[in-house]
Amino acid sequence: MSGHCCSSGACSTPGNSGREKDGREVKAAAADAVGIEVAGAIQPANPDHPDHPDHAYLAEKKRYAARIRRIEGQVRGIGRMIDEEQYCIDVLTQISAVNSALKSLAMTLLDAHLHHCVLNAAKAGEDELDEKLAEASAAIARLAK
């Protein structure tokens, strides 16, 4: 995970070596991972979202990217199946598999959001928490459709 503190073993995020450095090095590595200047003002990693400089999925970004690439491959495979005039039930089975994979990825991202973004909002105060809970509720409603 290039740029993330886990790549140097600086944090104890699940999936890394579990080694921790002293607090300053951990903070510096984590800050670097999300685009924060330790010595100066906070610089968001994503300038399009200055209100939340880091996202819950950053620690597992490579895994999420690999999962979405796998799903893309499945979708391309469905296109090939249609081009090759495969049996309709086989095509439907693959469509079901893609839907399941997307739903699983969505639930994993939702869980990360709840444990990171919503938890941080709870620490920040009631107004921020209310906003994040409303976002999470809306996302759950979209997923439930």
Side-chain angles (χ1 to χ4, degrees):
M1 289 178 215
S2 178
H4 185 264
C5 58
C6 293
S7 63
S8 64
C11 80
S12 58
T13 301
N16 81 345
S17 65
R19 294 175 296 158
E20 289 195 31
K21 296 181 182 179
D22 72 43
R24 290 181 313 236
E25 291 179 41
V26 171
K27 287 178 186 172
D32 181 52
V34 294
I36 298 171
E37 258 182 65
V38 175
I42 293 177
Q43 299 296 319
N46 186 345
D48 295 332
H49 301 285
D51 55 329
H52 43 95
D54 65 331
H55 299 291
Y57 59 83
L58 290 180
E60 300 292 330
K61 183 177 175 180
K62 281 188 175 183
R63 279 193 22 210
Y64 291 132
R67 286 177 74 174
I68 202 68
R69 282 191 300 272
R70 204 168 322 132
I71 294 167
E72 288 171 338
Q74 286 179 289
V75 171
R76 283 191 302 275
I78 292 169
R80 280 190 303 275
M81 290 176 78
I82 292 170
D83 289 343
E84 296 168 1
E85 300 175 3
Q86 300 247 344
Y87 185 55
C88 51
I89 295 299
D90 293 340
V91 174
L92 289 170
T93 299
Q94 291 306 309
I95 290 171
S96 177
V98 167
N99 283 334
S100 292
L102 284 170
K103 187 146 308 240
S104 174
L105 178 60
M107 296 306 292
T108 302
L109 285 168
L110 177 62
D111 185 63
H113 177 71
L114 292 173
H115 285 94
H116 178 79
C117 302
V118 175
L119 185 62
N120 286 341
K123 293 174 185 173
E126 189 173 338
D127 290 340
E128 178 125 1
L129 177 60
D130 288 343
E131 179 184 332
K132 293 298 179 189
L133 287 174
E135 287 176 353
S137 292
I140 292 167
R142 288 190 303 273
L143 290 170
K145 286 184 179 181

